[in-house]
Amino acid sequence: MIHLGSGEPACLIPEAAVQAAQEMLAGGQVRYTAASGTPEMKQAVIQYTKEQYGVSPEANQVVISSGAKQALANALYALSLPGEEILFLAPYWVSYPDMVRLAGGIPRVLVPEDNSFTPPARVVVDAIDQRTKAIILNSPNNPSGAVYSREFICEIAQACAERGVWLIMDDIYHRLVFEDNVWTSIYDCLPGGIEESRVVVINGVSKLYGMTGFRIGWAVGPSELIGAMGRMQAQITSCPSALSQTAAVAALQGDQSCIEQLRNDLRSNANILLECLKDLPGVKVQAPRGTFYCFADFRAYCDSSSKLAEMLLNRALVITVPGDAFGMEGHLRLSTCGSAEQIREGVARIRWALDSHAPKTIKIGDQEVTRDW
Ligand code: PLP
């Protein structure tokens, strides 16, 4: 089986995190922490936000959660959505629609006309109306790997500020951008500080340090909303894992060279994947600029991406993730988390499966082409 579906880096977790967790376990004291996170973990997030975003939150503007996922869910619950709409662009991270529904809100998916992964800001701004409670932006994006421009983010931030709409920035991949200086900190777009904003920034250690199983994420935002998120969490999970918070502090404060290593590996794997995909005639690709995904357009070969993914699984033993889960049919999300060999072998098998099992007549643009491969 070749796994091109993975959503977590293959790297080992930082040594500092292992040691800190081992020491805590050896001490035999792993207790409840403050509901919104330990002072040490909040301090580590304050430092992180200062370094990465150029702003310095107060402790009451930070809440630590069981993964970025819980931080996002908490934000949606705390915003109290019943009957209100949350806007986000397709392709989107699979969990957004259900999270919004669970919080009582209505997901409103914005599908750019040309399926562009970087549409103009007006696609989002023009969709804001009196029902809009919040917008979620995810840059770099899962599944497309697209990174939104400063103009795009600032235009949306300005519209949100003017219309009293919340902006949730899901920045979980923000340090996994292949080029320097292309990612924008939302605070560069805001005239005031964190407290005056209606902005919540979500982050975590999962993707950065390969610490997905530790389940530590966080949110930074105005104290009233962050306080509500912490109080809700107090009733739902009591607190994030003490052991995991200790490990996360060590990862955030330890040697950061693993991030550069991961970024280099992902950039190199993305280039290999793009090169291999050139061997699949009719498959269209927009090069990812970050993350560990590439969202390739297989519409020439399928109407249903689920059926195509199933065929690839059964015939070629290759795992991919169908695009319908991300709100964009006809695409497959291919992951670059594995090795270069896995990527090469995976795409070679996809080609073989398409050669043998896909229809002989395929669509390339508006044209019907009979495949001679
Ligand atoms: N946001 C996006 C866009 C993701 O892709 C993921 C994980 O796949 C998360 C949030 C959740 O991350 P965590 O493991 O910190 O809950």
Side-chain angles (χ1 to χ4, degrees):
M1 195 72 86
I2 298 284
H3 205 329
L4 297 184
S6 176
E8 55 189 352
C11 60
L12 295 178
I13 64 171
E15 187 51 37
V18 177
Q19 261 179 23
Q22 277 173 342
E23 274 165 29
M24 191 180 198
L25 268 182
Q29 306 255 1
V30 185
R31 311 280 188 222
Y32 291 131
T33 74
S36 59
T38 62
E40 294 77 18
M41 183 62 204
K42 285 191 184 178
Q43 198 47 50
V45 169
I46 291 168
Q47 189 58 31
Y48 181 91
T49 312
K50 218 189 271 181
E51 284 165 16
Q52 299 298 321
Y53 288 83
V55 294
S56 192
E58 300 294 328
N60 64 358
Q61 294 170 327
V62 175
V63 60
I64 315 301
S65 298
S66 302
K69 194 167 212 170
Q70 194 197 12
L72 269 164
N74 282 347
L76 293 170
Y77 275 100
L79 283 173
S80 176
L81 303 182
E84 297 188 285
E85 289 185 350
I86 305 290
L87 310 188
F88 46 88
L89 282 163
Y92 49 75
W93 182 43
V94 291
S95 292
Y96 294 154
D98 284 343
M99 276 185 175
V100 170
R101 283 189 203 101
L102 283 167
I106 301 166
R108 182 153 163 226
V109 177
L110 308 172
V111 187
E113 258 168 33
D114 55 357
N115 278 5
S116 163
F117 299 155
T118 50
R122 67 178 156 69
V123 171
V124 180
V125 171
D126 291 353
I128 298 175
D129 62 25
Q130 70 283 2
R131 287 164 300 185
T132 312
K133 183 75 172 203
I135 293 170
I136 306 176
L137 289 183
N138 172 216
S139 174
N141 176 273
N142 174 5
S144 71
V147 177
Y148 300 137
S149 69
R150 175 177 297 258
E151 296 70 35
F152 177 89
I153 291 179
C154 289
E155 203 176 322
I156 294 172
Q158 196 184 341
C160 285
E162 284 166 9
R163 316 272 292 267
V165 169
W166 285 85
L167 186 52
I168 301 174
M169 299 298 299
D170 182 348
D171 283 359
I172 187 88
Y173 296 100
H174 82 99
R175 292 183 72 187
L176 302 180
V177 178
F178 305 147
E179 296 155 77
D180 291 328
N181 304 321
V182 292
W183 174 83
T184 302
S185 155
I186 182 64
Y187 298 111
D188 291 350
C189 300
L190 302 177
I194 297 172
E195 197 62 10
E196 298 76 52
S197 76
R198 282 176 175 248
V199 172
V200 189
V201 176
I202 308 286
N203 261 303
V205 294
S206 284
K207 314 290 177 176
L208 215 43
Y209 303 108
M211 290 176 67
T212 47
F214 282 77
R215 311 307 306 124
I216 292 294
W218 59 87
V220 171
S223 58
E224 197 182 339
L225 184 78
I226 293 292
M229 288 165 65
R231 286 192 297 280
M232 271 184 11
Q233 181 165 287
Q235 302 307 347
I236 296 173
T237 58
S238 291
C239 65
S241 148
L243 190 62
S244 296
Q245 289 186 75
T246 298
V249 171
L252 285 164
Q253 293 177 346
D255 177 12
Q256 300 298 299
S257 58
C258 57
I259 300 176
E260 201 47 30
Q261 182 64 50
L262 176 61
R263 204 162 76 111
N264 288 340
D265 291 350
L266 292 174
R267 187 192 300 112
S268 156
N269 276 358
N271 287 336
I272 291 168
L273 178 61
L274 291 173
E275 211 39 53
C276 292
L277 287 173
K278 284 187 189 153
D279 287 343
L280 303 183
V283 172
K284 290 192 212 143
V285 182
Q286 296 175 50
R289 300 186 77 189
T291 73
F292 22 71
Y293 312 112
C294 174
F295 199 52
D297 181 347
F298 280 78
R299 277 176 295 174
Y301 291 93
C302 70
D303 293 324
S304 157
S305 51
S306 289
K307 282 194 183 140
L308 180 61
E310 203 180 328
M311 186 278 275
L312 295 175
L313 182 64
N314 291 331
R315 305 272 182 183
L317 303 184
V318 178
I319 300 171
T320 59
V321 188
D324 55 353
F326 305 94
M328 213 172 251
E329 250 307 1
H331 290 64
L332 292 178
R333 191 189 75 176
L334 306 172
S335 155
T336 55
C337 290
S339 65
E341 291 68 40
Q342 281 172 325
I343 293 169
R344 288 198 185 94
E345 171 68 12
V347 178
R349 288 193 196 183
I350 292 175
R351 183 183 165 120
W352 171 83
L354 293 175
D355 281 354
S356 331
H357 301 289
K360 276 289 167 200
T361 304
I362 64 169
K363 282 176 281 169
I364 297 184
D366 294 335
Q367 287 182 336
E368 298 251 307
V369 177
T370 302
R371 296 190 294 121
D372 57 359
W373 63 89

